């Protein structure tokens, strides 16, 4: 009889412990839904977006669109987008480009060019690389992707709403979104 009681007490303790541990699984912090990147449980904010349309040229045989997101205000000087502002530290940066004649509401299921870095720095045009999360031509195969998706949910003359998901070769998923104003530095010829 003592063995049966001991067995029942042990069984009850195991059942209680297993149910109690389930409660802690649901206490995971919610994902921030603001503008930014989610990677390995960390949220990296983004606050600005720049669009540049590329026209057909001898060197660029397909029209395309470059989109750059950053945690700093306008990553480039609006008068000359190729000159970085003098000093930023701990910049989160994500850029991608794809072939399209113009930007419209759509889903881009293959993003051929992408670069995502966190804690990047610029001081007087000198680039400090920070941590690379994704890069399409990286020698480290972990920074490549096996799938990519960018959804441009809405775009108007002064605002854009997009979200993205990239899967790294090890199965890690990088997600994020941006909804807000943008700067278009395309040149019309």
């Amino acid at each position: 009889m003592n063995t049966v009681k001991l067995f029942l007490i042990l069984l009850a303790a195991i059942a209680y412990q297993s149910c109690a541990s389930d409660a802690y699984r649901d206490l995971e912090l919610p994902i921030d839904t603001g503008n930014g990147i989610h990677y390995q449980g960390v949220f990296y904010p983004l606050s600005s977006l720049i669009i540049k349309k590329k026209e057909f040229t001898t060197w660029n045989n397909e029209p395309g669109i470059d989109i750059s997101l950053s945690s700093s205000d306008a990553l480039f000087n609006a008068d000359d987008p190729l000159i970085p502002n003098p000093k930023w530290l701990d910049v989160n940066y994500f850029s991608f480009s794809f072939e399209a004649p113009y930007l419209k509401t759509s889903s881009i299921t293959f993003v051929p060019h992408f670069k995502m870095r966190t804690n990047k720095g610029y001081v007087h045009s000198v680039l400090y690389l920070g941590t690379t999360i994704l890069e399409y031509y990286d020698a480290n195969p972990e920074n490549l992707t096996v799938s990519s998706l960018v959804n441009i949910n809405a775009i108007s003359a002064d605002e854009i709403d997009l979200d993205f998901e990239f899967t790294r070769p090890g199965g890690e998923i990088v997600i994020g979104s941006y909804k807000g104003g943008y700067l278009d530095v395309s040149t019309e010829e």
Side-chain angles (χ1 to χ4, degrees), residues 150-180:
V150 174
N151 292 310
I152 301 176
N153 303 312
I155 185 161
S156 67
D158 57 352
E159 287 199 354
I160 189 168
D161 176 5
L162 62 84
D163 56 68
F164 52 86
E165 180 176 309
F166 288 76
T167 304
R168 292 169 43 121
E172 295 173 311
I173 297 175
V174 182
I175 62 170
S177 63
Y178 179 87
K179 183 176 184 178

Side-chain angles (χ1 to χ4, degrees), residues 30-43:
I31 293 178
D32 191 320
T33 58
N35 294 339
I37 302 164
H38 297 275
Y39 175 63
Q40 292 184 338
V42 179
F43 178 73

